[in-house]
Amino acid sequence: SPGFTLVQLHVPPWLGAITSRPSRDDAGDKSSIVTETLQNFSPPFGVRLKTQCHEAWPLSMPGTLWESSAVLAHYITHPSCEIEAFRRMRIHGDGKGSGGDSTSSTSSSGRVQVQPSTVVELGAGIGLASIAAARLGCRVFATDGSPTSVRLLKDNFRVNLPDDCGPTTIKPLASMLEWGDLDGADGLVDQISSLPDVIMASDVVYLRSAQRDLAETIRRLCPDGHLHGRVVVAHRWRADSMTDTTADEAAFFEGFDGEFDTEEVAGELLPEGYNMRSRVGTKLPVSVFVMRRKH
């Protein structure tokens, strides 16, 4: 397993900043606003995301902007993103990073008409990557197993993707989906009316007890024979000198080897400064993996 040590965190400029003056929601909870700019749109698109944590536990899994979600949002909106469902959205759009999709037809007037690519985000958290995909023109289904996250998703979609945000932007739908709930995954496919073009996730592999259920959910949404489907996962490696957990994390991806081809995204497609959080080592602290079913 890769050996590196995470050191003191320094927030890079592309990750945004948390405002001072948090407001209080429910008893013991407080909310803050995180600002993030999606630089791959023209003009750059500013996002304001509501987060929530509890006084007794300031870092809340369902209410936090995780580093990997910002990396994922940057990658899927990059002009050189290799995932066809995202790339064609840009090609068929207005040239500014929105519109288009993976299938198209021509109207009687000669204009290209497009059907939006379908994207499911697992463990969507507060929704940054889902917002980025929606701004591209994708039809996004943002899911999470936490009621807190689903509520925050709806709030953040309403603020950042209002009804008048443009003809090519479709407001994402937020819903509960617990990993391992295969009936729920089947219901989501029924709602979409097809298998999704992309399943995406960020910072979802670190908890070993949940890895099996997560893997089964991915397999259900991208089953054998779904050859044009893609799975994209942004992962923050969490190894340190005391407890090297990267073997468990790497095993999650290796568990798909017999069914999927997996490639790691090149560093030049990820935001500058994303790897500034580790000492010199052989592994980058954030990796993005793209998986596709074997023929």
Side-chain angles (χ1 to χ4, degrees), residues 87-98:
R87 187 175 68 246
R88 289 192 176 180
M89 300 299 280
R90 301 184 67 96
I91 293 173
H92 290 297
D94 57 10
K96 297 182 180 181
S98 62

Side-chain angles (χ1 to χ4, degrees), residues 98-116:
S98 62
D101 82 353
S102 57
T103 59
S104 63
S105 60
T106 304
S107 69
S108 57
S109 64
R111 295 189 63 184
V112 174
Q113 296 178 321
V114 295
Q115 295 297 320

Side-chain angles (χ1 to χ4, degrees), residues 42-293:
S42 179
F45 178 61
V47 180
R48 289 174 56 83
L49 297 167
K50 183 180 179 181
T51 70
Q52 183 172 310
C53 64
H54 193 278
E55 287 182 325
W57 181 240
L59 191 61
S60 166
M61 284 188 289
T64 300
L65 175 60
W66 296 99
E67 177 183 32
S68 293
S69 66
V71 174
L72 177 61
H74 183 96
Y75 168 64
I76 66 175
T77 58
H78 195 285
S80 298
C81 176
E82 305 100 326
I83 299 176
E84 184 177 1
F86 294 127
R87 187 175 68 246
R88 289 192 176 180
M89 300 299 280
R90 301 184 67 96
I91 293 173
H92 290 297
D94 57 10
K96 297 182 180 181
S98 62
D101 82 353
S102 57
T103 59
S104 63
S105 60
T106 304
S107 69
S108 57
S109 64
R111 295 189 63 184
V112 174
Q113 296 178 321
V114 295
Q115 295 297 320
S117 301
T118 54
V119 177
V120 170
E121 184 171 13
L122 301 176
I126 59 175
L128 177 60
S130 286
I131 290 171
R135 284 289 295 182
L136 282 174
C138 298
R139 184 180 174 216
V140 180
F141 297 80
T143 70
D144 204 286
S146 163
T148 297
S149 277
V150 173
R151 177 171 55 80
L152 289 171
L153 286 167
K154 292 177 180 179
D155 288 347
N156 288 330
F157 294 158
R158 182 174 60 253
V159 169
N160 293 282
L161 300 169
D163 294 336
D164 60 352
C165 59
T168 60
T169 299
I170 304 171
K171 187 176 295 186
L173 297 177
S175 62
M176 286 280 295
L177 179 63
E178 295 184 354
W179 303 336
D181 179 5
L182 301 186
D183 289 339
D186 291 342
L188 183 60
V189 172
D190 290 341
Q191 183 180 4
I192 299 171
S193 300
S194 66
L195 292 168
D197 297 307
V198 178
I199 300 101
M200 65 180 185
S202 58
D203 251 334
V204 293
V205 180
Y206 60 90
L207 192 61
R208 180 165 61 175
S209 61
Q211 288 181 5
R212 181 175 179 179
D213 287 342
L214 173 60
E216 289 305 308
T217 302
I218 290 173
R219 291 186 176 99
R220 196 69 159 213
L221 294 172
C222 190
D224 187 23
H226 186 36
L227 299 181
H228 79 271
R230 296 293 181 268
V231 180
V232 55
V233 180
H235 177 61
R236 164 84 180 274
W237 299 98
R238 286 175 166 78
D240 59 44
S241 57
M242 299 297 293
T243 57
D244 186 355
T245 61
T246 56
D248 290 337
E249 296 167 12
F252 172 82
F253 296 100
E254 293 165 358
F256 291 96
D257 283 351
E259 308 158 80
F260 290 80
D261 292 317
T262 302
E263 295 184 1
E264 185 171 355
V265 172
E268 55 264 26
L269 299 184
L270 305 183
E272 294 182 7
Y274 79 100
N275 61 343
M276 65 188 293
R277 301 190 178 199
S278 73
R279 295 175 183 169
V280 175
T282 57
K283 266 291 182 182
L284 303 176
V286 177
S287 297
V288 178
F289 297 97
V290 177
M291 303 161 52
R292 61 181 178 181
R293 279 286 184 177

